[in-house]
Amino acid sequence: MRAEAEGEGELGMLMVGNVGVNRVLANCLDFRNIRNLEEMVFQRPGGFEATLKGYFYQAARSQDVRLAERVIRGERFHPASNALWFFRPTGDCPGSWYNQVNSGRFKSHCFFIPSSQDCPQVY
């Protein structure tokens, strides 16, 4: 979460955590048969881009662990509550991305949700 969104502050990191947990729970679309957080983070293609950079491999700080525990326990934060994707555009958030609806923006990241018919487990 830190490597993907540290510049977004604690709330931004929590939202990235929401996306990760949702991907594990989803078992739909790009995230079929992803059964745990490690599989989700390192999924290729589709996992977290930060794993390709050395920054990702720094030891977790106590506050990083605390934030991760919050999302694992089920805390959700809009617009990432039901999101399976996020990215950082150079301009405005598009209304959709790869046919997924934009649920909103937080600072630099845009979040995108599947339909409840495609992925009922994230709702």
Short mmCIF file of all heavy atoms in Angstrom, two decimals, residues 13-78:
data_model
loop_
_atom_site.label_atom_id
_atom_site.label_comp_id
_atom_site.label_asym_id
_atom_site.label_seq_id
_atom_site.Cartn_x
_atom_site.Cartn_y
_atom_site.Cartn_z
N MET A 13 -3.49 5.31 0.98
CA MET A 13 -2.94 3.96 1.15
C MET A 13 -4.04 2.98 1.56
O MET A 13 -4.06 1.83 1.10
CB MET A 13 -1.80 3.98 2.16
CG MET A 13 -0.57 4.69 1.63
SD MET A 13 0.88 4.57 2.71
CE MET A 13 0.46 5.76 3.97
N LEU A 14 -4.97 3.42 2.40
CA LEU A 14 -6.10 2.56 2.78
C LEU A 14 -6.94 2.21 1.56
O LEU A 14 -7.40 1.07 1.41
CB LEU A 14 -6.96 3.24 3.84
CG LEU A 14 -6.35 3.32 5.23
CD1 LEU A 14 -7.09 4.34 6.09
CD2 LEU A 14 -6.33 1.95 5.91
N MET A 15 -7.12 3.16 0.66
CA MET A 15 -7.91 2.89 -0.55
C MET A 15 -7.21 1.88 -1.45
O MET A 15 -7.85 0.99 -2.01
CB MET A 15 -8.17 4.19 -1.30
CG MET A 15 -9.16 5.07 -0.59
SD MET A 15 -9.44 6.57 -1.55
CE MET A 15 -10.38 7.51 -0.38
N VAL A 16 -5.91 1.98 -1.59
CA VAL A 16 -5.16 0.98 -2.35
C VAL A 16 -5.32 -0.38 -1.68
O VAL A 16 -5.48 -1.41 -2.34
CB VAL A 16 -3.68 1.39 -2.50
CG1 VAL A 16 -2.82 0.22 -2.95
CG2 VAL A 16 -3.57 2.55 -3.47
N GLY A 17 -5.31 -0.40 -0.37
CA GLY A 17 -5.56 -1.65 0.36
C GLY A 17 -6.94 -2.20 0.08
O GLY A 17 -7.11 -3.42 -0.07
N ASN A 18 -7.95 -1.33 -0.01
CA ASN A 18 -9.29 -1.78 -0.37
C ASN A 18 -9.28 -2.50 -1.71
O ASN A 18 -9.88 -3.57 -1.86
CB ASN A 18 -10.27 -0.61 -0.47
CG ASN A 18 -10.75 -0.08 0.85
OD1 ASN A 18 -11.30 1.02 0.89
ND2 ASN A 18 -10.59 -0.80 1.94
N VAL A 19 -8.61 -1.93 -2.69
CA VAL A 19 -8.54 -2.56 -4.01
C VAL A 19 -7.90 -3.94 -3.90
O VAL A 19 -8.39 -4.91 -4.47
CB VAL A 19 -7.78 -1.66 -5.01
CG1 VAL A 19 -7.49 -2.40 -6.30
CG2 VAL A 19 -8.57 -0.38 -5.29
N GLY A 20 -6.83 -4.04 -3.14
CA GLY A 20 -6.16 -5.33 -2.98
C GLY A 20 -7.05 -6.38 -2.35
O GLY A 20 -7.16 -7.50 -2.85
N VAL A 21 -7.70 -6.03 -1.26
CA VAL A 21 -8.60 -6.97 -0.60
C VAL A 21 -9.75 -7.35 -1.53
O VAL A 21 -10.12 -8.52 -1.65
CB VAL A 21 -9.12 -6.39 0.73
CG1 VAL A 21 -10.26 -7.23 1.30
CG2 VAL A 21 -7.98 -6.31 1.75
N ASN A 22 -10.30 -6.37 -2.24
CA ASN A 22 -11.38 -6.65 -3.18
C ASN A 22 -10.95 -7.65 -4.25
O ASN A 22 -11.72 -8.53 -4.65
CB ASN A 22 -11.88 -5.36 -3.84
CG ASN A 22 -12.65 -4.49 -2.89
OD1 ASN A 22 -13.10 -4.92 -1.84
ND2 ASN A 22 -12.80 -3.22 -3.26
N ARG A 23 -9.73 -7.51 -4.73
CA ARG A 23 -9.24 -8.43 -5.76
C ARG A 23 -9.17 -9.87 -5.24
O ARG A 23 -9.45 -10.81 -5.97
CB ARG A 23 -7.86 -7.99 -6.25
CG ARG A 23 -7.91 -6.74 -7.09
CD ARG A 23 -6.52 -6.29 -7.48
NE ARG A 23 -6.57 -5.12 -8.34
CZ ARG A 23 -5.49 -4.55 -8.88
NH1 ARG A 23 -4.28 -5.05 -8.64
NH2 ARG A 23 -5.62 -3.50 -9.66
N VAL A 24 -8.78 -10.04 -4.01
CA VAL A 24 -8.72 -11.38 -3.42
C VAL A 24 -10.14 -11.95 -3.25
O VAL A 24 -10.39 -13.12 -3.51
CB VAL A 24 -7.96 -11.38 -2.08
CG1 VAL A 24 -8.04 -12.74 -1.40
CG2 VAL A 24 -6.50 -10.99 -2.31
N LEU A 25 -11.07 -11.12 -2.83
CA LEU A 25 -12.45 -11.57 -2.61
C LEU A 25 -13.22 -11.79 -3.90
O LEU A 25 -14.16 -12.58 -3.93
CB LEU A 25 -13.20 -10.53 -1.75
CG LEU A 25 -12.69 -10.31 -0.34
CD1 LEU A 25 -13.44 -9.16 0.31
CD2 LEU A 25 -12.80 -11.58 0.48
N ALA A 26 -12.85 -11.09 -4.96
CA ALA A 26 -13.67 -11.00 -6.16
C ALA A 26 -13.87 -12.33 -6.89
O ALA A 26 -14.99 -12.68 -7.25
CB ALA A 26 -13.07 -9.98 -7.12
N ASN A 27 -12.81 -13.04 -7.21
CA ASN A 27 -12.87 -14.26 -8.02
C ASN A 27 -13.68 -14.02 -9.30
O ASN A 27 -14.55 -14.81 -9.66
CB ASN A 27 -13.42 -15.44 -7.23
CG ASN A 27 -13.07 -16.75 -7.90
OD1 ASN A 27 -12.04 -16.86 -8.56
ND2 ASN A 27 -13.91 -17.75 -7.74
N CYS A 28 -13.38 -12.91 -9.97
CA CYS A 28 -14.08 -12.57 -11.20
C CYS A 28 -13.15 -11.76 -12.10
O CYS A 28 -12.10 -11.31 -11.67
CB CYS A 28 -15.34 -11.76 -10.89
SG CYS A 28 -14.99 -10.18 -10.09
N LEU A 29 -13.57 -11.61 -13.34
CA LEU A 29 -12.86 -10.82 -14.33
C LEU A 29 -11.36 -11.11 -14.32
O LEU A 29 -10.96 -12.27 -14.48
CB LEU A 29 -13.17 -9.32 -14.14
CG LEU A 29 -14.66 -8.96 -14.23
CD1 LEU A 29 -14.89 -7.51 -13.83
CD2 LEU A 29 -15.20 -9.23 -15.62
N ASP A 30 -10.52 -10.10 -14.12
CA ASP A 30 -9.06 -10.29 -14.14
C ASP A 30 -8.51 -10.98 -12.90
O ASP A 30 -7.31 -11.26 -12.83
CB ASP A 30 -8.36 -8.93 -14.24
CG ASP A 30 -8.69 -8.18 -15.52
OD1 ASP A 30 -9.05 -8.82 -16.51
OD2 ASP A 30 -8.58 -6.93 -15.51
N PHE A 31 -9.37 -11.26 -11.94
CA PHE A 31 -8.88 -11.73 -10.64
C PHE A 31 -9.46 -13.09 -10.24
O PHE A 31 -9.67 -13.37 -9.07
CB PHE A 31 -9.16 -10.65 -9.58
CG PHE A 31 -8.62 -9.32 -10.01
CD1 PHE A 31 -9.47 -8.35 -10.51
CD2 PHE A 31 -7.26 -9.08 -10.01
CE1 PHE A 31 -8.97 -7.14 -10.96
CE2 PHE A 31 -6.74 -7.88 -10.47
CZ PHE A 31 -7.60 -6.90 -10.95
N ARG A 32 -9.67 -13.94 -11.21
CA ARG A 32 -10.13 -15.31 -10.92
C ARG A 32 -8.97 -16.11 -10.31
O ARG A 32 -7.83 -15.98 -10.73
CB ARG A 32 -10.59 -16.01 -12.20
CG ARG A 32 -11.86 -15.41 -12.76
CD ARG A 32 -12.49 -16.31 -13.80
NE ARG A 32 -13.62 -15.65 -14.42
CZ ARG A 32 -14.82 -15.54 -13.86
NH1 ARG A 32 -15.05 -16.05 -12.69
NH2 ARG A 32 -15.78 -14.92 -14.50
N ASN A 33 -9.31 -16.88 -9.32
CA ASN A 33 -8.36 -17.79 -8.68
C ASN A 33 -7.20 -17.07 -7.97
O ASN A 33 -6.14 -17.66 -7.78
CB ASN A 33 -7.83 -18.83 -9.67
CG ASN A 33 -8.98 -19.65 -10.23
OD1 ASN A 33 -9.84 -20.11 -9.49
ND2 ASN A 33 -9.01 -19.81 -11.53
N ILE A 34 -7.40 -15.83 -7.60
CA ILE A 34 -6.44 -15.11 -6.74
C ILE A 34 -6.94 -15.37 -5.32
O ILE A 34 -7.99 -14.90 -4.93
CB ILE A 34 -6.42 -13.60 -7.04
CG1 ILE A 34 -6.05 -13.33 -8.50
CG2 ILE A 34 -5.50 -12.87 -6.07
CD1 ILE A 34 -4.65 -13.73 -8.88
N ARG A 35 -6.21 -16.15 -4.55
CA ARG A 35 -6.70 -16.60 -3.25
C ARG A 35 -6.09 -15.90 -2.06
O ARG A 35 -6.54 -16.09 -0.93
CB ARG A 35 -6.50 -18.12 -3.11
CG ARG A 35 -7.18 -18.91 -4.19
CD ARG A 35 -8.70 -19.08 -4.12
NE ARG A 35 -9.53 -17.98 -3.76
CZ ARG A 35 -10.27 -17.24 -4.60
NH1 ARG A 35 -10.24 -17.46 -5.88
NH2 ARG A 35 -11.05 -16.28 -4.16
N ASN A 36 -5.03 -15.14 -2.25
CA ASN A 36 -4.42 -14.47 -1.11
C ASN A 36 -3.75 -13.17 -1.56
O ASN A 36 -3.61 -12.92 -2.76
CB ASN A 36 -3.46 -15.40 -0.36
CG ASN A 36 -2.31 -15.86 -1.23
OD1 ASN A 36 -1.58 -15.05 -1.81
ND2 ASN A 36 -2.14 -17.17 -1.35
N LEU A 37 -3.34 -12.38 -0.60
CA LEU A 37 -2.77 -11.07 -0.91
C LEU A 37 -1.46 -11.17 -1.68
O LEU A 37 -1.20 -10.37 -2.58
CB LEU A 37 -2.58 -10.26 0.37
CG LEU A 37 -3.88 -9.84 1.05
CD1 LEU A 37 -3.61 -9.26 2.43
CD2 LEU A 37 -4.67 -8.87 0.20
N GLU A 38 -0.64 -12.15 -1.38
CA GLU A 38 0.62 -12.29 -2.12
C GLU A 38 0.36 -12.58 -3.59
O GLU A 38 0.99 -11.98 -4.47
CB GLU A 38 1.48 -13.39 -1.50
CG GLU A 38 2.83 -13.51 -2.18
CD GLU A 38 3.74 -14.53 -1.52
OE1 GLU A 38 3.36 -15.15 -0.52
OE2 GLU A 38 4.87 -14.69 -2.02
N GLU A 39 -0.55 -13.50 -3.89
CA GLU A 39 -0.89 -13.78 -5.29
C GLU A 39 -1.41 -12.53 -5.99
O GLU A 39 -1.08 -12.27 -7.15
CB GLU A 39 -1.94 -14.89 -5.38
CG GLU A 39 -1.43 -16.25 -5.03
CD GLU A 39 -2.52 -17.31 -5.03
OE1 GLU A 39 -3.70 -17.02 -5.31
OE2 GLU A 39 -2.17 -18.47 -4.73
N MET A 40 -2.21 -11.74 -5.29
CA MET A 40 -2.76 -10.53 -5.87
C MET A 40 -1.67 -9.51 -6.16
O MET A 40 -1.59 -8.95 -7.25
CB MET A 40 -3.81 -9.94 -4.91
CG MET A 40 -4.44 -8.63 -5.37
SD MET A 40 -3.49 -7.13 -5.02
CE MET A 40 -3.32 -7.18 -3.26
N VAL A 41 -0.80 -9.28 -5.21
CA VAL A 41 0.24 -8.26 -5.37
C VAL A 41 1.17 -8.60 -6.53
O VAL A 41 1.54 -7.73 -7.32
CB VAL A 41 1.05 -8.09 -4.06
CG1 VAL A 41 2.31 -7.28 -4.29
CG2 VAL A 41 0.19 -7.44 -2.99
N PHE A 42 1.52 -9.87 -6.69
CA PHE A 42 2.49 -10.27 -7.71
C PHE A 42 1.85 -10.81 -8.98
O PHE A 42 2.56 -11.31 -9.86
CB PHE A 42 3.47 -11.30 -7.12
CG PHE A 42 4.40 -10.70 -6.11
CD1 PHE A 42 4.14 -10.81 -4.75
CD2 PHE A 42 5.52 -9.99 -6.51
CE1 PHE A 42 4.99 -10.24 -3.80
CE2 PHE A 42 6.37 -9.42 -5.58
CZ PHE A 42 6.11 -9.55 -4.22
N GLN A 43 0.54 -10.71 -9.12
CA GLN A 43 -0.14 -11.18 -10.32
C GLN A 43 0.44 -10.48 -11.55
O GLN A 43 0.68 -9.28 -11.55
CB GLN A 43 -1.63 -10.88 -10.22
CG GLN A 43 -2.41 -11.31 -11.44
CD GLN A 43 -3.87 -10.85 -11.39
OE1 GLN A 43 -4.25 -10.06 -10.54
NE2 GLN A 43 -4.67 -11.35 -12.30
N ARG A 44 0.68 -11.26 -12.62
CA ARG A 44 1.16 -10.70 -13.88
C ARG A 44 0.34 -11.25 -15.02
O ARG A 44 0.23 -12.46 -15.15
CB ARG A 44 2.64 -11.03 -14.13
CG ARG A 44 3.58 -10.36 -13.16
CD ARG A 44 3.67 -8.86 -13.43
NE ARG A 44 4.51 -8.20 -12.45
CZ ARG A 44 4.04 -7.50 -11.43
NH1 ARG A 44 2.77 -7.38 -11.21
NH2 ARG A 44 4.86 -6.92 -10.59
N PRO A 45 -0.25 -10.38 -15.83
CA PRO A 45 -0.37 -8.94 -15.63
C PRO A 45 -1.44 -8.64 -14.59
O PRO A 45 -2.23 -9.51 -14.24
CB PRO A 45 -0.79 -8.43 -17.01
CG PRO A 45 -1.56 -9.56 -17.61
CD PRO A 45 -0.89 -10.82 -17.08
N GLY A 46 -1.47 -7.42 -14.13
CA GLY A 46 -2.55 -6.97 -13.28
C GLY A 46 -2.21 -6.71 -11.83
O GLY A 46 -2.98 -6.11 -11.11
N GLY A 47 -1.05 -7.16 -11.37
CA GLY A 47 -0.68 -6.95 -9.97
C GLY A 47 -0.22 -5.52 -9.73
O GLY A 47 -0.36 -4.65 -10.57
N PHE A 48 0.35 -5.30 -8.59
CA PHE A 48 0.80 -3.97 -8.24
C PHE A 48 2.10 -3.64 -8.96
O PHE A 48 3.09 -4.37 -8.85
CB PHE A 48 0.97 -3.85 -6.74
CG PHE A 48 -0.33 -3.68 -5.97
CD1 PHE A 48 -1.56 -3.68 -6.60
CD2 PHE A 48 -0.31 -3.53 -4.62
CE1 PHE A 48 -2.74 -3.51 -5.90
CE2 PHE A 48 -1.48 -3.36 -3.89
CZ PHE A 48 -2.70 -3.35 -4.53
N GLU A 49 2.11 -2.53 -9.65
CA GLU A 49 3.28 -2.09 -10.41
C GLU A 49 4.50 -1.86 -9.52
O GLU A 49 5.64 -2.04 -9.93
CB GLU A 49 2.92 -0.82 -11.17
CG GLU A 49 4.03 -0.29 -12.03
CD GLU A 49 3.62 0.99 -12.75
OE1 GLU A 49 2.45 1.14 -13.11
OE2 GLU A 49 4.51 1.84 -12.93
N ALA A 50 4.26 -1.45 -8.29
CA ALA A 50 5.36 -1.13 -7.38
C ALA A 50 6.29 -2.31 -7.12
O ALA A 50 7.44 -2.11 -6.75
CB ALA A 50 4.81 -0.61 -6.06
N THR A 51 5.82 -3.54 -7.34
CA THR A 51 6.68 -4.71 -7.11
C THR A 51 7.86 -4.74 -8.08
O THR A 51 8.81 -5.48 -7.86
CB THR A 51 5.89 -6.02 -7.24
OG1 THR A 51 5.36 -6.12 -8.56
CG2 THR A 51 4.79 -6.10 -6.21
N LEU A 52 7.80 -3.94 -9.12
CA LEU A 52 8.87 -3.89 -10.10
C LEU A 52 9.95 -2.88 -9.73
O LEU A 52 10.93 -2.72 -10.45
CB LEU A 52 8.30 -3.54 -11.48
CG LEU A 52 7.21 -4.49 -11.99
CD1 LEU A 52 6.61 -3.97 -13.29
CD2 LEU A 52 7.77 -5.89 -12.15
N LYS A 53 9.77 -2.23 -8.58
CA LYS A 53 10.71 -1.20 -8.16
C LYS A 53 11.28 -1.55 -6.78
O LYS A 53 10.59 -2.13 -5.94
CB LYS A 53 10.01 0.15 -8.12
CG LYS A 53 9.48 0.53 -9.49
CD LYS A 53 8.77 1.84 -9.48
CE LYS A 53 8.44 2.22 -10.90
NZ LYS A 53 7.09 2.29 -11.22
N GLY A 54 12.51 -1.19 -6.53
CA GLY A 54 13.17 -1.50 -5.27
C GLY A 54 12.46 -0.95 -4.04
O GLY A 54 12.50 -1.54 -2.97
N TYR A 55 11.78 0.17 -4.18
CA TYR A 55 11.09 0.81 -3.07
C TYR A 55 10.10 -0.15 -2.41
O TYR A 55 9.90 -0.13 -1.20
CB TYR A 55 10.37 2.06 -3.60
CG TYR A 55 9.66 2.87 -2.54
CD1 TYR A 55 10.40 3.62 -1.63
CD2 TYR A 55 8.28 2.91 -2.46
CE1 TYR A 55 9.77 4.38 -0.65
CE2 TYR A 55 7.65 3.67 -1.49
CZ TYR A 55 8.40 4.40 -0.60
OH TYR A 55 7.77 5.13 0.37
N PHE A 56 9.48 -1.01 -3.20
CA PHE A 56 8.49 -1.96 -2.69
C PHE A 56 9.10 -2.88 -1.62
O PHE A 56 8.41 -3.30 -0.71
CB PHE A 56 7.94 -2.81 -3.85
CG PHE A 56 6.99 -3.87 -3.40
CD1 PHE A 56 5.66 -3.57 -3.14
CD2 PHE A 56 7.42 -5.18 -3.22
CE1 PHE A 56 4.78 -4.55 -2.72
CE2 PHE A 56 6.54 -6.16 -2.80
CZ PHE A 56 5.21 -5.84 -2.54
N TYR A 57 10.36 -3.18 -1.73
CA TYR A 57 10.98 -4.20 -0.89
C TYR A 57 11.57 -3.65 0.41
O TYR A 57 12.25 -4.38 1.14
CB TYR A 57 12.02 -4.97 -1.71
CG TYR A 57 11.32 -5.69 -2.85
CD1 TYR A 57 11.20 -5.11 -4.11
CD2 TYR A 57 10.68 -6.90 -2.63
CE1 TYR A 57 10.51 -5.74 -5.13
CE2 TYR A 57 9.98 -7.54 -3.64
CZ TYR A 57 9.90 -6.95 -4.88
OH TYR A 57 9.19 -7.57 -5.88
N GLN A 58 11.27 -2.42 0.75
CA GLN A 58 11.65 -1.88 2.05
C GLN A 58 10.82 -2.55 3.13
O GLN A 58 9.68 -2.95 2.89
CB GLN A 58 11.41 -0.38 2.11
CG GLN A 58 12.28 0.42 1.20
CD GLN A 58 11.96 1.91 1.31
OE1 GLN A 58 11.26 2.35 2.20
NE2 GLN A 58 12.50 2.68 0.39
N ALA A 59 11.37 -2.67 4.31
CA ALA A 59 10.63 -3.26 5.42
C ALA A 59 9.39 -2.42 5.75
O ALA A 59 9.44 -1.19 5.69
CB ALA A 59 11.52 -3.36 6.65
N ALA A 60 8.31 -3.09 6.08
CA ALA A 60 7.08 -2.40 6.47
C ALA A 60 7.30 -1.70 7.81
O ALA A 60 7.90 -2.25 8.73
CB ALA A 60 5.93 -3.38 6.57
N ARG A 61 6.80 -0.48 7.92
CA ARG A 61 6.83 0.25 9.17
C ARG A 61 5.61 -0.16 10.00
O ARG A 61 4.64 -0.71 9.47
CB ARG A 61 6.79 1.75 8.90
CG ARG A 61 7.91 2.24 8.00
CD ARG A 61 7.70 3.66 7.56
NE ARG A 61 6.43 3.78 6.83
CZ ARG A 61 6.05 4.85 6.16
NH1 ARG A 61 6.82 5.91 6.11
NH2 ARG A 61 4.90 4.89 5.53
N SER A 62 5.64 0.14 11.28
CA SER A 62 4.51 -0.24 12.14
C SER A 62 3.22 0.41 11.66
O SER A 62 2.15 -0.22 11.68
CB SER A 62 4.78 0.11 13.60
OG SER A 62 4.99 1.50 13.76
N GLN A 63 3.27 1.65 11.18
CA GLN A 63 2.05 2.28 10.68
C GLN A 63 1.55 1.63 9.40
O GLN A 63 0.35 1.59 9.15
CB GLN A 63 2.20 3.80 10.52
CG GLN A 63 3.20 4.24 9.47
CD GLN A 63 4.48 4.75 10.05
OE1 GLN A 63 4.97 4.27 11.06
NE2 GLN A 63 5.06 5.75 9.43
N ASP A 64 2.46 1.08 8.59
CA ASP A 64 2.05 0.36 7.38
C ASP A 64 1.28 -0.90 7.75
O ASP A 64 0.25 -1.22 7.15
CB ASP A 64 3.27 -0.03 6.53
CG ASP A 64 4.10 1.15 6.10
OD1 ASP A 64 3.54 2.24 5.88
OD2 ASP A 64 5.34 0.98 5.97
N VAL A 65 1.78 -1.61 8.74
CA VAL A 65 1.12 -2.83 9.21
C VAL A 65 -0.25 -2.48 9.78
O VAL A 65 -1.25 -3.16 9.50
CB VAL A 65 2.00 -3.56 10.25
CG1 VAL A 65 1.24 -4.72 10.89
CG2 VAL A 65 3.30 -4.02 9.61
N ARG A 66 -0.33 -1.41 10.55
CA ARG A 66 -1.60 -0.99 11.14
C ARG A 66 -2.63 -0.67 10.06
O ARG A 66 -3.79 -1.08 10.15
CB ARG A 66 -1.36 0.23 12.04
CG ARG A 66 -2.60 0.76 12.75
CD ARG A 66 -2.27 1.96 13.64
NE ARG A 66 -1.43 2.99 13.04
CZ ARG A 66 -1.87 3.93 12.19
NH1 ARG A 66 -3.13 3.98 11.86
NH2 ARG A 66 -1.02 4.83 11.71
N LEU A 67 -2.22 0.03 9.01
CA LEU A 67 -3.14 0.34 7.91
C LEU A 67 -3.60 -0.93 7.19
O LEU A 67 -4.79 -1.08 6.89
CB LEU A 67 -2.48 1.30 6.92
CG LEU A 67 -2.19 2.70 7.42
CD1 LEU A 67 -1.39 3.49 6.38
CD2 LEU A 67 -3.45 3.43 7.81
N ALA A 68 -2.67 -1.83 6.95
CA ALA A 68 -3.04 -3.09 6.28
C ALA A 68 -4.02 -3.88 7.12
O ALA A 68 -5.00 -4.44 6.60
CB ALA A 68 -1.77 -3.91 6.01
N GLU A 69 -3.81 -3.92 8.41
CA GLU A 69 -4.74 -4.65 9.29
C GLU A 69 -6.14 -4.06 9.23
O GLU A 69 -7.13 -4.78 9.28
CB GLU A 69 -4.21 -4.65 10.73
CG GLU A 69 -3.01 -5.54 10.90
CD GLU A 69 -2.32 -5.39 12.26
OE1 GLU A 69 -2.55 -4.36 12.96
OE2 GLU A 69 -1.55 -6.30 12.61
N ARG A 70 -6.23 -2.75 9.10
CA ARG A 70 -7.56 -2.10 9.02
C ARG A 70 -8.33 -2.57 7.80
O ARG A 70 -9.52 -2.89 7.90
CB ARG A 70 -7.40 -0.58 9.01
CG ARG A 70 -6.97 -0.01 10.35
CD ARG A 70 -6.73 1.47 10.30
NE ARG A 70 -7.95 2.20 9.96
CZ ARG A 70 -7.97 3.52 9.72
NH1 ARG A 70 -6.85 4.24 9.80
NH2 ARG A 70 -9.09 4.11 9.42
N VAL A 71 -7.69 -2.61 6.64
CA VAL A 71 -8.43 -3.02 5.44
C VAL A 71 -8.70 -4.52 5.45
O VAL A 71 -9.75 -4.97 4.98
CB VAL A 71 -7.76 -2.56 4.12
CG1 VAL A 71 -7.76 -1.06 4.02
CG2 VAL A 71 -6.39 -3.12 3.94
N ILE A 72 -7.80 -5.30 6.01
CA ILE A 72 -8.04 -6.74 6.11
C ILE A 72 -9.23 -7.01 7.03
O ILE A 72 -10.02 -7.94 6.78
CB ILE A 72 -6.76 -7.48 6.58
CG1 ILE A 72 -5.73 -7.45 5.44
CG2 ILE A 72 -7.07 -8.91 7.00
CD1 ILE A 72 -4.35 -7.90 5.86
N ARG A 73 -9.39 -6.19 8.05
CA ARG A 73 -10.55 -6.35 8.96
C ARG A 73 -11.85 -5.86 8.34
O ARG A 73 -12.92 -6.02 8.91
CB ARG A 73 -10.31 -5.59 10.27
CG ARG A 73 -9.37 -6.30 11.22
CD ARG A 73 -9.42 -5.70 12.62
NE ARG A 73 -9.18 -4.27 12.64
CZ ARG A 73 -8.01 -3.68 12.85
NH1 ARG A 73 -6.95 -4.42 13.09
NH2 ARG A 73 -7.89 -2.38 12.86
N GLY A 74 -11.79 -5.22 7.17
CA GLY A 74 -13.01 -4.86 6.47
C GLY A 74 -13.34 -3.39 6.38
O GLY A 74 -14.40 -3.03 5.88
N GLU A 75 -12.46 -2.50 6.83
CA GLU A 75 -12.75 -1.07 6.67
C GLU A 75 -12.72 -0.72 5.18
O GLU A 75 -11.83 -1.16 4.46
CB GLU A 75 -11.73 -0.22 7.42
CG GLU A 75 -11.92 -0.24 8.92
CD GLU A 75 -11.01 0.75 9.62
OE1 GLU A 75 -10.95 1.92 9.20
OE2 GLU A 75 -10.35 0.33 10.59
N ARG A 76 -13.70 0.06 4.74
CA ARG A 76 -13.81 0.45 3.34
C ARG A 76 -13.91 1.96 3.22
O ARG A 76 -14.52 2.62 4.07
CB ARG A 76 -15.04 -0.19 2.70
CG ARG A 76 -14.99 -1.71 2.65
CD ARG A 76 -13.95 -2.15 1.62
NE ARG A 76 -13.82 -3.59 1.57
CZ ARG A 76 -12.83 -4.27 2.13
NH1 ARG A 76 -11.90 -3.66 2.82
NH2 ARG A 76 -12.76 -5.57 2.01
N PHE A 77 -13.33 2.48 2.15
CA PHE A 77 -13.26 3.93 1.95
C PHE A 77 -13.62 4.27 0.51
O PHE A 77 -12.97 3.81 -0.42
CB PHE A 77 -11.85 4.44 2.29
CG PHE A 77 -11.43 4.05 3.68
CD1 PHE A 77 -10.76 2.87 3.92
CD2 PHE A 77 -11.76 4.86 4.76
CE1 PHE A 77 -10.40 2.50 5.21
CE2 PHE A 77 -11.42 4.49 6.04
CZ PHE A 77 -10.73 3.31 6.27
N HIS A 78 -14.66 5.09 0.36
CA HIS A 78 -15.08 5.53 -0.96
C HIS A 78 -14.04 6.49 -1.52
O HIS A 78 -13.52 7.32 -0.77
CB HIS A 78 -16.44 6.22 -0.86
CG HIS A 78 -16.96 6.66 -2.19
ND1 HIS A 78 -17.50 5.79 -3.08
CD2 HIS A 78 -16.97 7.87 -2.78
CE1 HIS A 78 -17.84 6.45 -4.17
NE2 HIS A 78 -17.52 7.72 -4.00
#
